[in-house]
Amino acid sequence: MSLLGIDVGTTGCKAAVFSADGRMLSSAYQEYDVRRPQHGWAELDTVEVWGSVRQVIAGVVSGAVADPVTALCVSSLGEAVVPVTRNRRILGPSLLNFDVRGEEYLTDLGRALSNERLYEINGNTLGNHYSLTKLKWIKEHQPTLYAETFKFLHWGSFVSFMLGAEPIVDYALANRTLLFDIDRGDWSDELLHWAGLDREKLPDTAPSGTEIGLVSDHVATELGLPRGVRIISGAHDQCCNAVGCGVIAEGRAVYGMGTFVCITPVFTTRRATGTMIGLGLNTEHHAVPGQYVCFIYNQGGSLVKWLRDTFAAAEHRQAQAAGRDVYTDLFAELPAGPATVMVLPHFTTTGPPEFIADSCGVIVGLHLETSRGDILKGILEGTTFYLKEIVDSLPPTGITITDYRAVGGGSKSDAWVQLCADIMGCPFTRPRVTEAGALGAAIIAGVGSGLFPSYQAGVEAMVQLERVFEPDMRRHEVYQERMALYRQLWPLLRDYLQDFTRRMKNG
């Protein structure tokens, strides 16, 4: 019996079939683009992405005929939701968390409920990157769509629903709405009333690892799946990443290197509200019962993709045609030492602690001699400095990180992982399977279907480690000096960048 893990991200989807001992039997990936119909808007074409998900599932299933799939689970991006009808018809696009729609509600919502009260219930503070403001925007600006919608489903629950499951969302994804009571494990009547949204438009909730249905017979036939495959409720992608690389206990953290570069530490008790709010840190259910996670992130992977699409578009097309990865060529251009440029990675709305929307990216130190590799390394350094600044502020929370597990597409680069270890001054361990979201989903499928008695047993059976990257402490000292310069950039440029961004937005 094998397990199918599906991972739906912002810019691509993956599927992989794993044997019960963690061997990857087959895998497939498809990339898609974020649509930007207007300035500041960002959405996924739901029909296109669902088609990509179907293709990767069919592709991996055909490659694992000798060991049939018995259970599946979906890992997915967080806040974005999909409107569907009761009979599983897609009604519209999926608004992403960095879409500006919904900003207009923040002031009134903030007056009606304090951040402290919101955090006590939900474990998050008010922001436009959650589902709540997007749902309010749809209700006000697209009332027909809102009325016709049976359920607004996060991508993990949407894919499961389209495969045949009941409309059920796991606790971790439910928490990304700002409407979920983290202690009760259900939607909050107080928050729904505050938001002016309807409970019946949201799915039921369940812990990760709960069986929520079977793949329907007609979908199984279309995709080549066996009859009776069990669908298990998954989790937010960062939680699945954690399971897929063995981060299921305090002291360890995932270092996810995908579209978002995200540090995900694990802890077992909720931390002081004021301290967490001060650092812009959320509290969310881990996929593992009795544990919580928080997210320290930025869109570092998007910046690397921007560089590829802006400075290496032709090479990317040539590499695709030849079946090569253009990133291998780009990373070969990285200089041996630190970059000669400094990058402020505010190319889009930032992550914690401030979630800054009215800024823009800055590259300092450009000369005629500056190479493409220098700019790429500056991006990698800048996005890592951003994260380290927050990690250095963690001690008052009681959250500790003693080592990192590097996962995601970026972790395939030895140079990038070593750079992170050098800047953080902490060991980075890379598992053999770096696509930890799909593997984590497969482990959750194994736990939920009864193949494994616990998450610990599933991790022990399926997660294998490949290499430890120890920090070079001499380079770490050099980067500490660079870090001091980086810390000055945003305070020095804040007023100018915010004024510049406003002027550009207003034409």
Side-chain angles (χ1 to χ4, degrees):
M1 61 178 64
S2 63
L3 302 166
L4 172 58
I6 304 163
D7 185 10
V8 183
T10 305
T11 57
C13 60
K14 312 173 189 75
V17 177
F18 297 90
S19 64
D21 60 0
R23 288 179 296 112
M24 184 185 290
L25 304 178
S26 62
S27 67
Y29 172 78
Q30 280 208 17
E31 187 175 292
Y32 35 79
D33 291 320
V34 173
R35 295 198 321 186
R36 301 180 185 276
Q38 296 185 33
H39 177 74
W41 291 22
E43 61 189 36
L44 292 178
D45 182 327
T46 308
V47 174
E48 177 192 356
V49 176
W50 170 232
S52 296
V53 172
R54 289 169 58 90
Q55 288 182 44
V56 295
I57 293 173
V60 298
V61 170
S62 65
V65 176
D67 191 356
V69 172
T70 59
L72 66 82
C73 175
V74 185
S75 161
S76 82
L77 66 153
E79 299 79 8
V81 295
V82 177
V84 296
T85 65
R86 190 182 299 272
N87 63 353
R88 295 177 167 82
R89 183 166 57 88
I90 296 167
L91 291 176
S94 180
L95 279 59
L96 293 168
N97 61 354
F98 48 94
D99 188 302
V100 299
R101 281 173 280 187
E103 285 180 347
E104 63 266 36
Y105 306 113
L106 293 178
T107 300
D108 288 344
L109 287 168
R111 290 195 190 106
L113 190 73
S114 71
N115 264 332
E116 289 74 18
R117 178 57 182 158
L118 174 58
Y119 200 97
E120 288 170 2
I121 301 171
N122 178 257
N124 288 290
T125 56
L126 183 60
N128 191 44
H129 46 293
Y130 298 103
S131 316
L132 184 158
T133 49
K134 305 297 187 282
L135 291 172
K136 284 185 69 67
W137 188 91
I138 292 171
K139 185 176 182 180
E140 179 173 331
H141 294 273
Q142 298 177 331
T144 302
L145 170 63
Y146 186 86
E148 290 178 352
T149 298
F150 166 54
K151 300 291 181 185
F152 290 96
L153 300 178
H154 291 83
W155 276 90
S157 52
F158 163 73
V159 171
S160 298
F161 179 64
M162 298 298 281
L163 291 173
E166 294 298 313
I168 294 173
V169 65
D170 64 88
Y171 290 171
L173 285 177
N175 198 50
R176 307 310 294 170
T177 60
L178 284 189
L179 301 169
F180 184 70
D181 188 319
I182 193 171
D183 291 328
R184 290 179 51 246
D186 198 2
W187 303 114
S188 164
D189 291 332
E190 179 179 347
L191 297 183
L192 284 164
H193 176 74
W194 165 66
L197 295 169
D198 303 290
R199 186 187 186 102
E200 63 268 19
K201 297 293 183 181
L202 301 173
D204 291 338
T205 63
S208 299
T210 301
E211 185 172 337
I212 56 176
L214 302 176
V215 175
S216 67
D217 289 348
H218 78 274
V219 171
T221 300
E222 290 174 2
L223 300 183
L225 285 163
R227 298 293 177 94
V229 173
R230 299 161 78 174
I231 304 173
I232 308 300
S233 62
H236 192 187
D237 52 10
Q238 303 301 340
C239 300
C240 287
N241 277 339
V243 174
C245 63
V247 176
I248 58 172
E250 285 191 294
R252 287 194 176 128
V254 183
Y255 199 97
M257 303 168 74
T259 302
F260 287 84
V261 178
C262 183
I263 298 173
T264 308
V266 177
F267 47 101
T268 54
T269 57
R270 292 191 64 177
R271 306 297 174 167
T273 295
T275 304
M276 296 293 277
I277 288 177
L279 292 175
L281 296 179
N282 68 310
T283 300
E284 179 176 296
H285 284 282
H286 196 353
V288 181
Q291 295 184 0
Y292 299 97
V293 296
C294 65
F295 306 131
I296 303 166
Y297 65 89
N298 58 43
Q299 290 197 48
S302 291
L303 271 62
V304 174
K305 183 176 183 289
W306 165 82
L307 182 133
R308 182 200 73 182
D309 294 343
T310 305
F311 295 103
E315 290 151 285
H316 178 45
R317 289 192 295 272
Q318 292 165 6
Q320 283 182 311
R324 293 186 299 104
D325 185 353
V326 73
Y327 288 120
T328 302
D329 300 331
L330 289 174
F331 276 79
E333 298 177 11
L334 295 177
T340 59
V341 298
M342 181 76 71
V343 175
L344 182 70
H346 290 197
F347 286 46
T348 185
T349 302
T350 70
E354 297 183 79
F355 306 100
I356 303 161
D358 55 349
S359 181
C360 56
V362 174
I363 303 176
V364 178
L366 291 169
H367 294 91
L368 291 177
E369 298 82 10
T370 302
S371 69
R372 182 171 64 180
D374 255 324
I375 296 174
L376 174 56
K377 192 155 194 180
I379 287 172
L380 301 181
E381 291 173 353
T383 55
T384 312
F385 289 151
Y386 180 103
L387 300 175
K388 188 177 189 310
E389 190 168 14
I390 305 170
V391 170
D392 288 347
S393 303
L394 284 179
T397 68
I399 297 171
T400 59
I401 303 174
T402 56
D403 73 273
Y404 295 89
R405 297 283 172 90
V407 299
S411 68
K412 297 173 184 176
S413 166
D414 291 358
W416 192 354
V417 178
Q418 186 64 57
L419 179 147
C420 294
D422 292 343
I423 292 177
M424 292 292 183
C426 195
F428 274 61
T429 302
R430 183 170 62 197
R432 184 164 296 170
V433 176
T434 57
E435 300 301 343
L439 177 56
I443 293 171
I444 296 171
V447 174
S449 62
L451 178 61
F452 303 123
S454 67
Y455 282 90
Q456 182 64 42
V459 166
E460 290 176 356
M462 298 187 72
V463 176
Q464 301 172 27
L465 304 181
E466 178 194 80
R467 177 178 170 184
V468 178
F469 294 78
E470 295 288 348
D472 182 315
M473 298 313 293
R474 286 180 297 180
R475 284 199 291 263
H476 177 67
E477 291 303 318
V478 173
Y479 275 128
Q480 288 287 78
E481 296 174 5
R482 293 293 184 98
M483 182 83 188
L485 293 173
Y486 170 83
R487 289 177 185 271
Q488 298 176 41
L489 270 182
W490 173 237
L492 183 66
L493 297 174
R494 178 193 297 264
D495 292 343
Y496 172 78
L497 293 180
Q498 291 180 323
D499 181 58
F500 177 83
T501 301
R502 282 193 291 269
R503 288 171 181 264
M504 292 301 101
K505 186 181 293 187
N506 295 329

